[in-house]
Amino acid sequence: MIRDPQTLEALLDAVNRFVRERLVPAEAIVAETDEIPEDIVREMKELGLFGLTVPEEYGGLGVTMEEEVMVMLAMGQTSPCFRSLFGTTVGIGSQGILFDGTEAQRKKYLPRLATGELIASFALTEPDTGSDAASLRTTAIREGDHYIVNGTKRFITNAPHAGIFTLMARTNPQDKGAGGVSAFIVEADTPGITIGRKDRKMGQRGAHTADVIFENCKVPASQLIGGREGQGFKTAMKVLEKGRIHIAAICVGVAERMQRDALHYAMERNQFGQPIAEFQLVQAMLADSQAEIYAARCMVIDAARQRDAGRNVATEASCCKLFASEMCGRVADRAVQIFGGAGYVSDYGIERFYRDVRLFRLYEGTTQIQQIVIARNLVREAMR
Ligand code: COS
């Protein structure tokens, strides 16, 4: 749903300009230094990017899912590390507070997230808990008006920058499954929290992940999301479901960028006396990528519209994440192929995208988890 086409157009114009004039020129330096320059971070805040999904009453832009998808398609036209900096704050780090938090929790945190003053991270994954999210071991044991948190969270995006963590921890150690898990808002400066060293990753330099270690960390009971124990796994699933549409949109945007770069290269690069774009075997690669990008774009917009209309889109969200992330990987591979030897050389930039997009098939639920979710939902639906 698009609330007001003119307002959205103004926002997209601003984002497109920011991407073109500020982010694209900074891609190489960010990849080299592994840091996003402070002035770019400030401009992201000024544009309202950190508050995209925070409702207007709490100081954000309150975009609908379809509008969010449009902004992510625009943000995808540059290195994905830029989106990552505000992605957890507009997505998995904040939406649990919005969906299931108490009014007091929303009022306390959402306005500061919307301005970018606070960065939110989502702390679910652990050293021994990835796809099987319900098996997490971090505990939060109630003692009076506090919970004592112990455990280690792994690969936590934006952990080194976070002001708050949306933390999933087991409040009922007797219940080893999803029902024993609760969600908390934990302020990053709470004593007992240590952030590990930044992970050295395959790609997405400029986006940082790290371990978050909780040792007898005393979290006030008022930080339990929604004030109810045992709801944390469901909160996480709801947040991830929406996040999957968001990530799928980024996959489409980045695929469009790689396709554009490949097309321009193919038109400039001459072999056998003509641009390689004239050769049908190169054209076949461009055509396959274009068809897949178009298909994924249509899927993502459709799923977003259905979600805005209030429909259950658990299956569609997983279809989008599955197809768009795999599509993006194929487009990256073809783009490198079209660049030929230059595709393997850092100066041309395309190998960086090839490495960056590999993450899309892994995080916020691997391709295999999306397959499981889709198939399970189909079977459940058919059994009704
Ligand atoms: N929305 C709301 N509730 C949901 C839900 C959703 N999308 N998906 C599941 N739930 C609920 C279920 O309804 C169930 O509730 P009841 O017990 O009341 O019936 C509960 O959550 C447990 O669901 P389920 O039985 O399906 O849980 P499983 O342990 O079998 O796990 C998968 C399901 C594998 C799908 C889940 O663990 C998952 O998504 N794993 C991937 C995690 C992930 O994405 N990690 C990335 C880290 S963050 S970057």
Side-chain angles (χ1 to χ4, degrees), residues 125 131 133-134 233-234 237-238 240-241 244 364-365 373 376:
T125 301
S131 292
F233 188 78
K234 285 185 191 171
M237 288 298 116
K238 284 191 258 179
L240 283 169
E241 184 181 304
R244 286 164 185 165
E364 301 206 16
V373 171
R376 268 193 192 181

Side-chain angles (χ1 to χ4, degrees), residues 96-367:
I97 304 173
L98 181 63
F99 295 165
D100 292 334
T102 62
E103 192 49 34
Q105 290 167 343
R106 289 185 189 151
K107 277 199 177 121
K108 183 168 178 193
Y109 292 105
L110 294 179
R112 290 163 68 205
L113 293 173
T115 57
E117 177 196 334
L118 273 185
I119 285 187
S121 273
F122 182 73
L124 172 66
T125 301
E126 298 181 358
D128 294 314
T129 302
S131 292
D132 184 7
S135 71
L136 62 83
R137 292 193 194 160
T138 296
T139 52
I141 305 302
R142 179 108 191 205
E143 274 185 18
D145 55 2
H146 283 80
Y147 286 86
I148 307 299
V149 180
N150 279 291
T152 298
K153 295 291 177 178
R154 180 139 295 171
F155 310 140
I156 304 306
T157 304
N158 284 325
H161 312 289
I164 57 167
F165 294 99
T166 295
L167 169 76
M168 263 52 68
R170 192 167 299 284
T171 42
N172 179 1
Q174 269 70 54
D175 184 340
K176 305 279 183 217
V181 176
S182 302
F184 295 88
I185 309 162
V186 181
E187 299 192 359
D189 58 4
T190 312
I193 298 181
T194 312
I195 310 295
R197 73 162 172 76
K198 279 188 238 166
D199 297 319
R200 291 167 60 192
K201 310 189 297 325
M202 176 192 283
Q204 298 219 9
R205 282 171 64 80
H208 304 138
T209 63
D211 280 5
V212 184
I213 301 132
F214 297 87
E215 286 169 303
N216 293 322
C217 175
K218 216 172 149 189
V219 176
S222 59
Q223 300 301 92
L224 176 67
I225 290 184
R228 288 170 65 207
E229 288 189 5
Q231 298 301 308
F233 188 78
K234 285 185 191 171
T235 299
M237 288 298 116
K238 284 191 258 179
V239 161
L240 283 169
E241 184 181 304
K242 180 170 188 254
R244 286 164 185 165
I245 302 178
H246 172 111
I247 295 294
I250 275 288
C251 292
V252 175
V254 181
E256 288 174 344
R257 161 69 187 272
M258 293 185 293
Q259 169 81 335
R260 207 168 46 246
D261 287 358
L263 175 63
H264 287 156
Y265 186 82
M267 289 167 72
E268 281 164 14
R269 170 81 174 160
N270 284 299
Q271 287 295 283
F272 303 103
Q274 60 183 29
I276 61 170
E278 300 293 330
F279 290 109
Q280 289 186 345
L281 292 179
V282 172
Q283 290 179 346
M285 286 192 274
L286 289 168
D288 284 352
S289 289
Q290 192 62 27
E292 291 196 60
I293 291 169
Y294 177 51
R297 190 176 235 272
C298 292
M299 283 173 82
V300 173
I301 294 171
D302 177 69
R305 284 184 183 154
Q306 289 203 49
R307 190 178 187 282
D308 285 338
R311 300 203 188 99
N312 178 343
V313 291
T315 303
E316 288 75 9
S318 283
C319 286
C320 287
K321 168 73 167 53
L322 164 71
F323 184 77
S325 63
E326 292 287 332
M327 172 282 291
C328 194
R330 289 191 292 270
V331 170
D333 192 64
R334 291 187 198 111
V336 169
Q337 195 68 16
I338 289 168
F339 271 76
Y344 205 68
V345 172
S346 304
D347 296 349
Y348 293 83
I350 200 72
E351 65 82 34
R352 191 183 66 236
F353 277 101
Y354 179 85
R355 288 182 288 107
D356 286 351
V357 304
R358 189 62 183 83
L359 183 59
F360 293 147
R361 292 156 62 193
L362 304 172
Y363 69 177
E364 301 206 16
T366 59
T367 290

